[in-house]
Amino acid sequence: MKVSMFYPTYDTGISVYSNRLKRELINQGINIIKIPLQSAPIGLINLVNYIKQKNQYTKIGKKMNQAEIAHIQFEYSFFGGVNPVINMYQVFSSQIKIPKILTIHEITNVSVDMQEGSNIKKFIKKLAYGNIDKYLQYINKGIFQEADAIIVHTNSTKEILVKRGINSNKIFHIEHGIPYVNLSSKRQTESKKALGLENKIVITTFGSISERKGQDQVIKILDKLPENVIYLIAGALPAGEQYTTYMNNINKVIREKHLENKVKLTGYVQNNKIPEIMNATDLIVYPARDIIASGSVTETMAYEKMIIASNLDFINEINLKYECIKTYKKNDINNLQNIIEDMIKNPSKKKKYIENTKRYAKEYSFKNIALKTKVLYNQVLTKYNVEKKKNNTRL
């Protein structure tokens, strides 16, 4: 079976996820044709860029037809975001003539004001989508409804789609895979020393920096934690004004609370550097506010560390299978502080969570996730061929 898989190859968690899934599918006999998005779409809105983007996504969409099934790793930003001028999903999708499977990595409720911007921007919007209500219906529902199958990582995402009117029979829950990783062979004290964190209790948040990820919440309680606690933010700051503003606010709190020696930012972490950072870490904290899934969480689960996270739906779903993440009430930083302090004072409490994390990682390995995906490929292709045969018979 041939499957064309669309995903970004620039540095994103979804790129890492897609490569891992691709490797396991190839190991299981699926011929994967990679259709890469090699750089982020152009964000600047003008007529020249609109034409350029349209041509690019038309070509990529046509390339998807080299296989029997098109598998699209979907996130709005891969198609220019949600603005009706620069969103190119319909341009891309309309070129695909084979069954489409979407893996949903992010979902949002889109509302776009057609009257926003200059006269030229309004004109281009009307040129792209004359009817804004029609556009919103498409981007919030139509994208998903037109797919032959949809893969979601959580039941909560499935519920959102069903509420929007998507046929539940085409939505399949396949968990986010846990990668196999090489654990560091060093003692923890060696890794701490190598990172300049000797004699520190290291609390780490792994992944990109954003308000949704909530790194500021840990910084706000840092001065109330033991003196030898240091907060390691292991991830890059994405480009964009909203991220710069968020980072400026974080830096302001650091200055006001005199936390310069208690916060360490690594920037983007290369894969070969992750084992040492994880080895040096005592507690992983994910203070996220509103994400539907996280490759950063599943990445660190592979390193068998104690994880504390806000009680988002996808975290709760993981804990329903195995209680491997200690949760606190979302946005309640006092609750977060109390849990961190308790884990520092009583390290034996980590054992249950770490053992359950190992069990979860084994059951939901990328190998097993690829097996489930392969089964879905066969189901979709069989159904497509049966319907195609029926249509040919009628003709």
Side-chain angles (χ1 to χ4, degrees), residues 6-10 35-41 56-57 60 77-79:
F6 169 90
Y7 64 94
T9 54
Y10 51 91
I35 310 295
L37 181 65
Q38 295 176 333
S39 59
Q56 179 189 9
Y57 280 94
I60 295 174
S77 67
F78 301 159
F79 301 95

Side-chain angles (χ1 to χ4, degrees), residues 269-328:
V269 182
Q270 298 290 340
N271 287 339
N272 62 345
K273 301 295 184 182
I274 298 174
E276 184 148 73
I277 287 175
M278 291 295 108
N279 193 42
T281 295
D282 295 286
L283 292 171
I284 301 285
V285 177
Y286 284 104
R289 290 184 166 97
D290 68 345
I291 55 179
I292 63 167
S294 173
S296 298
V297 171
T298 52
E299 179 80 25
T300 50
M301 287 177 75
Y303 287 93
E304 303 172 2
K305 288 290 176 175
M306 175 69 210
I307 300 173
I308 302 168
S310 53
N311 60 343
L312 299 177
D313 288 341
F314 84 94
I315 296 290
N316 292 335
E317 285 186 32
I318 290 172
N319 279 342
L320 283 174
K321 298 178 175 75
Y322 296 94
E323 191 182 359
C324 42
I325 298 174
K326 178 68 177 176
T327 60
Y328 73 96

Side-chain angles (χ1 to χ4, degrees), residues 4-150:
S4 55
M5 186 179 289
F6 169 90
Y7 64 94
T9 54
Y10 51 91
D11 291 327
T12 72
I14 297 169
S15 176
V16 174
Y17 164 90
S18 303
N19 276 317
R20 285 169 173 162
L21 179 62
K22 176 175 71 74
R23 283 196 298 267
E24 288 297 340
L25 287 167
I26 290 171
N27 289 340
Q28 293 170 32
I30 303 294
N31 184 355
I32 301 293
I33 302 170
K34 183 169 77 171
I35 310 295
L37 181 65
Q38 295 176 333
S39 59
I42 301 167
L44 186 64
I45 302 172
N46 59 49
L47 190 56
V48 173
N49 283 339
Y50 174 78
I51 294 169
K52 186 176 181 179
Q53 296 279 78
K54 187 171 182 179
N55 289 339
Q56 179 189 9
Y57 280 94
T58 298
K59 290 177 183 177
I60 295 174
K62 288 179 178 178
K63 288 180 180 179
M64 298 295 289
N65 295 308
Q66 299 174 48
E68 298 163 273
I69 291 175
H71 189 170
I72 302 158
Q73 303 296 331
F74 178 85
E75 210 276 347
Y76 291 105
S77 67
F78 301 159
F79 301 95
V82 299
N83 188 291
V85 178
I86 57 178
N87 183 278
M88 290 290 157
Y89 184 79
Q90 191 170 40
V91 171
F92 165 82
S93 178
S94 65
Q95 306 304 316
I96 302 173
K97 310 303 180 185
I98 56 178
K100 290 193 286 278
I101 297 175
L102 265 63
T103 294
I104 308 300
H105 293 278
E106 186 59 87
I107 191 167
T108 187
N109 188 29
V110 180
S111 177
V112 178
D113 184 355
M114 280 294 281
Q115 301 308 312
E116 257 184 5
S118 64
N119 289 334
I120 185 64
K121 287 182 181 178
K122 291 175 190 176
F123 172 75
I124 297 173
K125 284 181 183 181
K126 289 179 180 178
L127 188 67
Y129 289 93
N131 185 328
I132 190 60
D133 291 331
K134 185 178 179 182
Y135 169 75
L136 292 175
Q137 179 74 3
Y138 177 73
I139 203 165
N140 284 322
K141 179 181 176 181
I143 285 173
F144 312 112
Q145 187 65 34
E146 71 178 24
D148 294 271
I150 301 165

Side-chain angles (χ1 to χ4, degrees), residues 135-385:
Y135 169 75
L136 292 175
Q137 179 74 3
Y138 177 73
I139 203 165
N140 284 322
K141 179 181 176 181
I143 285 173
F144 312 112
Q145 187 65 34
E146 71 178 24
D148 294 271
I150 301 165
I151 296 172
V152 295
H153 294 317
T154 64
N155 282 319
S156 55
T157 306
K158 180 176 181 177
E159 289 170 7
I160 292 170
L161 292 172
V162 170
K163 284 179 182 177
R164 291 188 185 184
I166 311 301
N167 185 345
S168 63
N169 291 330
K170 67 167 62 179
I171 306 172
F172 298 85
H173 180 196
I174 300 179
E175 293 79 359
H176 196 296
I178 308 295
Y180 172 81
V181 298
N182 291 314
L183 302 178
S184 174
S185 59
K186 294 181 180 179
R187 289 177 297 176
Q188 188 181 47
T189 53
E190 291 181 79
S191 291
K192 286 187 177 185
K193 186 175 181 179
L195 295 171
L197 304 172
E198 200 170 5
N199 300 318
K200 300 293 185 181
I201 296 172
V202 181
I203 297 174
T204 300
T205 297
F206 181 74
S208 61
I209 302 170
S210 73
E211 188 170 4
R212 298 180 70 200
K213 301 293 181 68
Q215 289 90 348
D216 62 290
Q217 296 184 78
V218 179
I219 290 172
K220 286 174 182 175
I221 61 171
L222 201 52
D223 59 335
K224 299 174 184 177
L225 296 174
E227 185 62 32
N228 63 335
V229 168
I230 192 164
Y231 184 36
L232 185 65
I233 302 177
L237 181 71
E241 185 179 350
Q242 68 186 91
Y243 301 108
T244 302
T245 300
Y246 179 66
M247 193 68 236
N248 288 340
N249 291 336
I250 284 178
N251 287 329
K252 182 180 178 183
V253 175
I254 291 172
R255 288 193 301 272
E256 289 174 349
K257 288 179 172 281
H258 307 292
L259 299 171
E260 288 86 354
N261 294 326
K262 290 178 69 66
V263 179
K264 184 179 177 72
L265 290 89
T266 68
Y268 177 75
V269 182
Q270 298 290 340
N271 287 339
N272 62 345
K273 301 295 184 182
I274 298 174
E276 184 148 73
I277 287 175
M278 291 295 108
N279 193 42
T281 295
D282 295 286
L283 292 171
I284 301 285
V285 177
Y286 284 104
R289 290 184 166 97
D290 68 345
I291 55 179
I292 63 167
S294 173
S296 298
V297 171
T298 52
E299 179 80 25
T300 50
M301 287 177 75
Y303 287 93
E304 303 172 2
K305 288 290 176 175
M306 175 69 210
I307 300 173
I308 302 168
S310 53
N311 60 343
L312 299 177
D313 288 341
F314 84 94
I315 296 290
N316 292 335
E317 285 186 32
I318 290 172
N319 279 342
L320 283 174
K321 298 178 175 75
Y322 296 94
E323 191 182 359
C324 42
I325 298 174
K326 178 68 177 176
T327 60
Y328 73 96
K329 187 177 179 182
K330 183 178 73 170
N331 296 325
D332 187 341
I333 61 174
N334 292 324
N335 188 198
L336 172 59
Q337 178 190 333
N338 291 336
I339 291 172
I340 291 174
E341 288 175 337
D342 185 38
M343 290 298 164
I344 290 172
K345 291 176 184 175
N346 303 289
S348 61
K349 290 186 177 181
K350 298 180 189 177
K351 185 176 179 182
K352 176 187 77 172
Y353 294 98
I354 293 171
E355 289 302 315
N356 284 340
T357 297
K358 292 178 184 178
R359 295 186 184 100
Y360 187 97
K362 184 177 180 180
E363 184 168 343
Y364 297 101
S365 66
F366 265 95
K367 180 180 179 180
N368 289 339
I369 296 309
L371 281 169
K372 291 183 180 182
T373 306
K374 181 179 179 180
V375 169
L376 178 58
Y377 287 164
N378 284 318
Q379 289 176 355
V380 168
L381 191 58
T382 299
K383 182 180 178 182
Y384 175 79
N385 287 333

